[in-house]
CSV table of all heavy atoms in Angstrom, one decimal:
chain,number,residue,atom,x,y,z
A,258,ASN,N,24.4,-39.4,-17.5
A,258,ASN,CA,23.1,-39.5,-18.3
A,258,ASN,C,22.8,-38.1,-18.8
A,258,ASN,O,23.1,-37.1,-18.2
A,258,ASN,CB,22.0,-40.0,-17.5
A,258,ASN,CG,21.6,-39.1,-16.4
A,258,ASN,OD1,22.4,-38.6,-15.7
A,258,ASN,ND2,20.3,-38.9,-16.2
A,259,VAL,N,22.2,-38.0,-20.0
A,259,VAL,CA,21.9,-36.7,-20.6
A,259,VAL,C,20.4,-36.6,-20.7
A,259,VAL,O,19.7,-37.5,-21.2
A,259,VAL,CB,22.5,-36.6,-22.0
A,259,VAL,CG1,22.0,-35.3,-22.7
A,259,VAL,CG2,24.0,-36.6,-21.9
A,260,ARG,N,19.8,-35.6,-20.2
A,260,ARG,CA,18.4,-35.3,-20.1
A,260,ARG,C,18.1,-33.9,-20.5
A,260,ARG,O,19.0,-33.1,-20.7
A,260,ARG,CB,17.8,-35.6,-18.7
A,260,ARG,CG,18.6,-34.9,-17.7
A,260,ARG,CD,18.1,-35.0,-16.3
A,260,ARG,NE,19.0,-34.6,-15.3
A,260,ARG,CZ,19.5,-33.3,-15.2
A,260,ARG,NH1,19.0,-32.4,-16.0
A,260,ARG,NH2,20.3,-33.0,-14.2
A,261,PRO,N,16.9,-33.5,-20.7
A,261,PRO,CA,16.6,-32.1,-21.1
A,261,PRO,C,17.1,-31.2,-20.0
A,261,PRO,O,17.2,-31.5,-18.8
A,261,PRO,CB,15.1,-32.1,-21.1
A,261,PRO,CG,14.6,-33.5,-21.4
A,261,PRO,CD,15.7,-34.3,-20.7
A,262,LEU,N,17.6,-30.0,-20.4
A,262,LEU,CA,18.2,-29.0,-19.5
A,262,LEU,C,17.1,-28.4,-18.6
A,262,LEU,O,16.0,-28.0,-19.1
A,262,LEU,CB,18.9,-27.9,-20.3
A,262,LEU,CG,20.1,-28.3,-21.1
A,262,LEU,CD1,20.6,-27.2,-21.9
A,262,LEU,CD2,21.2,-28.8,-20.2
A,263,GLY,N,17.5,-28.2,-17.4
A,263,GLY,CA,16.7,-27.4,-16.5
A,263,GLY,C,15.5,-28.2,-15.9
A,263,GLY,O,15.2,-29.3,-16.2
A,264,VAL,N,14.9,-27.5,-14.9
A,264,VAL,CA,13.8,-28.1,-14.2
A,264,VAL,C,12.5,-28.0,-15.1
A,264,VAL,O,12.4,-27.0,-15.8
A,264,VAL,CB,13.5,-27.3,-12.9
A,264,VAL,CG1,12.2,-27.8,-12.2
A,264,VAL,CG2,14.7,-27.4,-12.0
A,265,SER,N,11.7,-29.0,-15.1
A,265,SER,CA,10.5,-29.0,-15.9
A,265,SER,C,9.7,-27.7,-15.6
A,265,SER,O,9.6,-27.2,-14.5
A,265,SER,CB,9.6,-30.2,-15.6
A,265,SER,OG,10.4,-31.4,-15.9
A,266,SER,N,9.0,-27.2,-16.6
A,266,SER,CA,8.3,-26.0,-16.5
A,266,SER,C,7.2,-26.1,-15.4
A,266,SER,O,6.5,-27.1,-15.4
A,266,SER,CB,7.6,-25.6,-17.8
A,266,SER,OG,8.6,-25.3,-18.8
A,267,SER,N,7.1,-25.1,-14.6
A,267,SER,CA,6.1,-25.1,-13.5
A,267,SER,C,4.8,-24.7,-14.0
A,267,SER,O,4.6,-23.9,-15.0
A,267,SER,CB,6.6,-24.2,-12.4
A,267,SER,OG,6.7,-22.9,-12.8
A,268,ALA,N,3.7,-25.1,-13.3
A,268,ALA,CA,2.4,-24.7,-13.6
A,268,ALA,C,1.6,-24.3,-12.3
A,268,ALA,O,1.9,-24.9,-11.3
A,268,ALA,CB,1.6,-25.9,-14.3
A,269,PRO,N,0.8,-23.3,-12.4
A,269,PRO,CA,0.0,-22.9,-11.2
A,269,PRO,C,-1.0,-24.0,-10.9
A,269,PRO,O,-1.4,-24.8,-11.7
A,269,PRO,CB,-0.6,-21.6,-11.6
A,269,PRO,CG,-0.7,-21.7,-13.1
A,269,PRO,CD,0.4,-22.5,-13.6
A,270,SER,N,-1.5,-23.9,-9.7
A,270,SER,CA,-2.6,-24.8,-9.3
A,270,SER,C,-3.9,-24.5,-10.0
A,270,SER,O,-4.1,-23.4,-10.4
A,270,SER,CB,-2.8,-24.8,-7.8
A,270,SER,OG,-3.4,-23.5,-7.4
A,271,ARG,N,-4.8,-25.5,-10.1
A,271,ARG,CA,-6.1,-25.3,-10.7
A,271,ARG,C,-6.9,-24.2,-9.9
A,271,ARG,O,-7.6,-23.4,-10.5
A,271,ARG,CB,-6.8,-26.6,-10.7
A,271,ARG,CG,-8.3,-26.5,-11.2
A,271,ARG,CD,-8.4,-26.1,-12.6
A,271,ARG,NE,-9.8,-25.9,-13.0
A,271,ARG,CZ,-10.6,-26.9,-13.5
A,271,ARG,NH1,-10.1,-28.1,-13.7
A,271,ARG,NH2,-11.9,-26.6,-13.8
A,272,HIS,N,-6.7,-24.2,-8.6
A,272,HIS,CA,-7.4,-23.3,-7.8
A,272,HIS,C,-7.1,-21.8,-8.1
A,272,HIS,O,-8.0,-21.0,-8.3
A,272,HIS,CB,-7.1,-23.5,-6.3
A,272,HIS,CG,-7.6,-22.4,-5.4
A,272,HIS,ND1,-8.9,-22.3,-5.1
A,272,HIS,CD2,-6.9,-21.5,-4.7
A,272,HIS,CE1,-9.0,-21.2,-4.2
A,272,HIS,NE2,-7.8,-20.8,-4.0
A,273,VAL,N,-5.8,-21.6,-8.4
A,273,VAL,CA,-5.3,-20.2,-8.7
A,273,VAL,C,-5.8,-19.9,-10.1
A,273,VAL,O,-6.3,-18.7,-10.4
A,273,VAL,CB,-3.8,-20.1,-8.6
A,273,VAL,CG1,-3.3,-18.8,-9.2
A,273,VAL,CG2,-3.3,-20.3,-7.2
A,274,VAL,N,-5.8,-20.8,-11.1
A,274,VAL,CA,-6.2,-20.5,-12.4
A,274,VAL,C,-7.7,-20.2,-12.4
A,274,VAL,O,-8.2,-19.3,-13.1
A,274,VAL,CB,-5.9,-21.7,-13.3
A,274,VAL,CG1,-6.6,-21.5,-14.7
A,274,VAL,CG2,-4.4,-21.9,-13.5
A,275,ASP,N,-8.5,-20.9,-11.6
A,275,ASP,CA,-9.9,-20.7,-11.4
A,275,ASP,C,-10.2,-19.2,-10.9
A,275,ASP,O,-11.2,-18.6,-11.3
A,275,ASP,CB,-10.6,-21.7,-10.5
A,275,ASP,CG,-10.8,-23.0,-11.2
A,275,ASP,OD1,-10.7,-23.1,-12.4
A,275,ASP,OD2,-11.0,-24.0,-10.5
A,276,GLN,N,-9.3,-18.8,-10.0
A,276,GLN,CA,-9.5,-17.4,-9.5
A,276,GLN,C,-9.3,-16.4,-10.6
A,276,GLN,O,-10.1,-15.4,-10.7
A,276,GLN,CB,-8.4,-17.1,-8.4
A,276,GLN,CG,-8.8,-17.8,-7.1
A,276,GLN,CD,-7.7,-17.4,-6.0
A,276,GLN,OE1,-6.7,-18.1,-5.9
A,276,GLN,NE2,-8.0,-16.3,-5.4
A,277,VAL,N,-8.3,-16.6,-11.5
A,277,VAL,CA,-8.1,-15.7,-12.6
A,277,VAL,C,-9.3,-15.7,-13.5
A,277,VAL,O,-9.8,-14.7,-14.0
A,277,VAL,CB,-6.8,-16.1,-13.4
A,277,VAL,CG1,-6.6,-15.1,-14.6
A,277,VAL,CG2,-5.6,-16.0,-12.5
A,278,LEU,N,-9.8,-16.9,-13.8
A,278,LEU,CA,-11.0,-17.1,-14.7
A,278,LEU,C,-12.2,-16.4,-14.1
A,278,LEU,O,-13.0,-15.8,-14.9
A,278,LEU,CB,-11.2,-18.5,-15.0
A,278,LEU,CG,-10.2,-19.3,-15.8
A,278,LEU,CD1,-10.5,-20.8,-15.8
A,278,LEU,CD2,-10.1,-18.7,-17.2
A,279,ARG,N,-12.4,-16.4,-12.8
A,279,ARG,CA,-13.5,-15.7,-12.2
A,279,ARG,C,-13.4,-14.2,-12.4
A,279,ARG,O,-14.4,-13.5,-12.7
A,279,ARG,CB,-13.6,-16.1,-10.7
A,279,ARG,CG,-14.3,-17.4,-10.5
A,279,ARG,CD,-14.8,-17.5,-9.0
A,279,ARG,NE,-13.6,-17.5,-8.1
A,279,ARG,CZ,-12.9,-18.6,-7.7
A,279,ARG,NH1,-13.2,-19.8,-8.2
A,279,ARG,NH2,-11.9,-18.5,-6.9
A,280,MET,N,-12.2,-13.7,-12.2
A,280,MET,CA,-12.0,-12.3,-12.4
A,280,MET,C,-12.2,-11.9,-13.9
A,280,MET,O,-12.8,-10.9,-14.2
A,280,MET,CB,-10.5,-11.9,-12.1
A,280,MET,CG,-10.2,-12.0,-10.6
A,280,MET,SD,-8.5,-11.5,-10.3
A,280,MET,CE,-8.4,-11.7,-8.5
A,281,LEU,N,-11.8,-12.8,-14.8
A,281,LEU,CA,-12.1,-12.5,-16.2
A,281,LEU,C,-13.6,-12.5,-16.5
A,281,LEU,O,-14.1,-11.6,-17.3
A,281,LEU,CB,-11.4,-13.5,-17.1
A,281,LEU,CG,-9.9,-13.2,-17.6
A,281,LEU,CD1,-9.4,-14.4,-18.3
A,281,LEU,CD2,-9.9,-12.0,-18.4
A,282,ALA,N,-14.3,-13.4,-16.0
A,282,ALA,CA,-15.7,-13.5,-16.2
A,282,ALA,C,-16.5,-12.3,-15.7
A,282,ALA,O,-17.5,-11.9,-16.3
A,282,ALA,CB,-16.3,-14.8,-15.6
A,283,GLU,N,-16.0,-11.7,-14.6
A,283,GLU,CA,-16.6,-10.6,-14.0
A,283,GLU,C,-16.2,-9.2,-14.6
A,283,GLU,O,-16.8,-8.2,-14.3
A,283,GLU,CB,-16.3,-10.5,-12.5
A,283,GLU,CG,-16.9,-11.7,-11.7
A,283,GLU,CD,-16.4,-11.9,-10.3
A,283,GLU,OE1,-15.5,-11.0,-9.9
A,283,GLU,OE2,-16.8,-12.8,-9.6
A,284,SER,N,-15.1,-9.2,-15.4
A,284,SER,CA,-14.6,-8.0,-15.9
A,284,SER,C,-15.4,-7.5,-17.1
A,284,SER,O,-15.8,-8.3,-18.0
A,284,SER,CB,-13.1,-8.2,-16.3
A,284,SER,OG,-12.6,-7.1,-17.0
A,285,GLN,N,-15.5,-6.2,-17.2
A,285,GLN,CA,-16.1,-5.6,-18.4
A,285,GLN,C,-15.0,-5.0,-19.3
A,285,GLN,O,-15.3,-4.9,-20.5
A,285,GLN,CB,-17.0,-4.4,-17.9
A,285,GLN,CG,-18.2,-4.9,-17.1
A,285,GLN,CD,-19.1,-5.8,-17.8
A,285,GLN,OE1,-19.5,-5.5,-18.9
A,285,GLN,NE2,-19.5,-6.9,-17.2
A,286,SER,N,-13.9,-4.7,-18.8
A,286,SER,CA,-12.9,-4.0,-19.6
A,286,SER,C,-11.5,-4.5,-19.1
A,286,SER,O,-10.7,-3.8,-18.5
A,286,SER,CB,-13.0,-2.5,-19.4
A,286,SER,OG,-12.0,-1.8,-20.2
A,287,PRO,N,-11.1,-5.7,-19.5
A,287,PRO,CA,-9.8,-6.3,-19.1
A,287,PRO,C,-8.7,-5.7,-20.1
A,287,PRO,O,-9.0,-5.3,-21.2
A,287,PRO,CB,-10.0,-7.8,-19.3
A,287,PRO,CG,-11.0,-7.9,-20.4
A,287,PRO,CD,-12.0,-6.7,-20.2
A,288,LEU,N,-7.5,-5.8,-19.5
A,288,LEU,CA,-6.3,-5.3,-20.3
A,288,LEU,C,-5.1,-6.2,-20.0
A,288,LEU,O,-4.9,-6.6,-18.8
A,288,LEU,CB,-6.0,-3.9,-19.9
A,288,LEU,CG,-4.7,-3.3,-20.5
A,288,LEU,CD1,-4.8,-3.1,-22.0
A,288,LEU,CD2,-4.4,-1.9,-19.8
A,289,ILE,N,-4.4,-6.6,-21.0
A,289,ILE,CA,-3.1,-7.3,-20.8
A,289,ILE,C,-2.0,-6.4,-21.0
A,289,ILE,O,-1.9,-5.7,-22.0
A,289,ILE,CB,-3.0,-8.5,-21.7
A,289,ILE,CG1,-4.1,-9.6,-21.4
A,289,ILE,CG2,-1.6,-9.1,-21.7
A,289,ILE,CD1,-4.1,-10.8,-22.3
A,290,LEU,N,-1.0,-6.4,-20.0
A,290,LEU,CA,0.2,-5.7,-20.2
A,290,LEU,C,1.4,-6.7,-20.2
A,290,LEU,O,1.4,-7.6,-19.3
A,290,LEU,CB,0.4,-4.7,-19.0
A,290,LEU,CG,-0.6,-3.6,-18.8
A,290,LEU,CD1,-0.3,-2.7,-17.6
A,290,LEU,CD2,-0.8,-2.8,-20.0
A,291,THR,N,2.3,-6.6,-21.1
A,291,THR,CA,3.4,-7.6,-21.1
A,291,THR,C,4.6,-7.0,-21.8
A,291,THR,O,4.5,-6.0,-22.5
A,291,THR,CB,3.0,-8.8,-21.9
A,291,THR,OG1,4.0,-9.8,-21.8
A,291,THR,CG2,2.7,-8.5,-23.4
A,292,SER,N,5.7,-7.5,-21.4
A,292,SER,CA,7.0,-7.2,-22.0
A,292,SER,C,7.5,-8.3,-22.8
A,292,SER,O,8.1,-8.1,-23.9
A,292,SER,CB,8.1,-6.8,-20.9
A,292,SER,OG,7.7,-5.6,-20.3
A,293,SER,N,7.4,-9.6,-22.3
A,293,SER,CA,8.0,-10.7,-23.0
A,293,SER,C,7.2,-12.0,-22.9
A,293,SER,O,7.8,-13.1,-23.0
A,293,SER,CB,9.4,-10.9,-22.4
A,293,SER,OG,9.4,-11.1,-21.0
A,294,ALA,N,5.9,-11.9,-22.8
A,294,ALA,CA,5.1,-13.1,-22.8
A,294,ALA,C,5.2,-14.0,-24.0
A,294,ALA,O,5.1,-15.2,-24.0
A,294,ALA,CB,3.6,-12.8,-22.6
A,295,GLY,N,5.6,-13.3,-25.1
A,295,GLY,CA,5.7,-14.0,-26.4
A,295,GLY,C,7.1,-14.4,-26.8
A,295,GLY,O,7.4,-14.6,-27.9
A,296,ARG,N,8.0,-14.4,-25.8
A,296,ARG,CA,9.4,-14.7,-26.1
A,296,ARG,C,9.5,-16.1,-26.7
A,296,ARG,O,10.3,-16.3,-27.7
A,296,ARG,CB,10.3,-14.6,-24.9
A,296,ARG,CG,11.7,-15.1,-25.1
A,296,ARG,CD,12.6,-14.6,-24.1
A,296,ARG,NE,12.7,-13.1,-24.1
A,296,ARG,CZ,13.4,-12.4,-23.2
A,296,ARG,NH1,14.0,-12.9,-22.3
A,296,ARG,NH2,13.4,-11.1,-23.4
A,297,SER,N,8.8,-17.1,-26.2
A,297,SER,CA,8.9,-18.4,-26.8
A,297,SER,C,7.7,-18.5,-27.8
A,297,SER,O,6.7,-17.8,-27.7
A,297,SER,CB,8.7,-19.5,-25.8
A,297,SER,OG,7.4,-19.5,-25.2
A,298,ARG,N,7.9,-19.4,-28.8
A,298,ARG,CA,6.8,-19.6,-29.8
A,298,ARG,C,5.5,-20.0,-29.1
A,298,ARG,O,4.4,-19.6,-29.4
A,298,ARG,CB,7.2,-20.6,-30.9
A,298,ARG,CG,6.3,-20.6,-32.1
A,298,ARG,CD,6.9,-21.5,-33.2
A,298,ARG,NE,8.2,-21.0,-33.6
A,298,ARG,CZ,8.4,-20.0,-34.5
A,298,ARG,NH1,7.4,-19.5,-35.1
A,298,ARG,NH2,9.7,-19.7,-34.8
A,299,GLU,N,5.7,-20.9,-28.1
A,299,GLU,CA,4.5,-21.5,-27.4
A,299,GLU,C,3.8,-20.3,-26.6
A,299,GLU,O,2.6,-20.3,-26.6
A,299,GLU,CB,4.9,-22.6,-26.4
A,299,GLU,CG,5.5,-23.8,-27.1
A,299,GLU,CD,7.0,-23.6,-27.5
A,299,GLU,OE1,7.6,-22.6,-27.1
A,299,GLU,OE2,7.5,-24.5,-28.2
A,300,GLY,N,4.6,-19.5,-26.0
A,300,GLY,CA,4.0,-18.3,-25.3
A,300,GLY,C,3.3,-17.4,-26.2
A,300,GLY,O,2.2,-16.9,-25.8
A,301,ALA,N,3.8,-17.1,-27.4
A,301,ALA,CA,3.2,-16.2,-28.3
A,301,ALA,C,1.9,-16.8,-28.8
A,301,ALA,O,0.8,-16.1,-28.9
A,301,ALA,CB,4.1,-16.0,-29.5
Side-chain angles (χ1 to χ4, degrees):
N258 66 315
V259 174
R260 48 175 168 65
L262 293 175
V264 176
S265 299
S266 296
S267 60
S270 68
R271 172 67 185 268
H272 170 70
V273 171
V274 172
D275 285 342
Q276 285 183 269
V277 179
L278 293 173
R279 281 197 296 272
M280 291 181 181
L281 271 175
E283 295 168 359
S284 171
Q285 297 299 311
S286 183
L288 172 68
I289 291 175
L290 302 179
T291 187
S292 295
S293 55
R296 173 160 297 175
S297 70
R298 193 173 301 276
E299 297 79 9

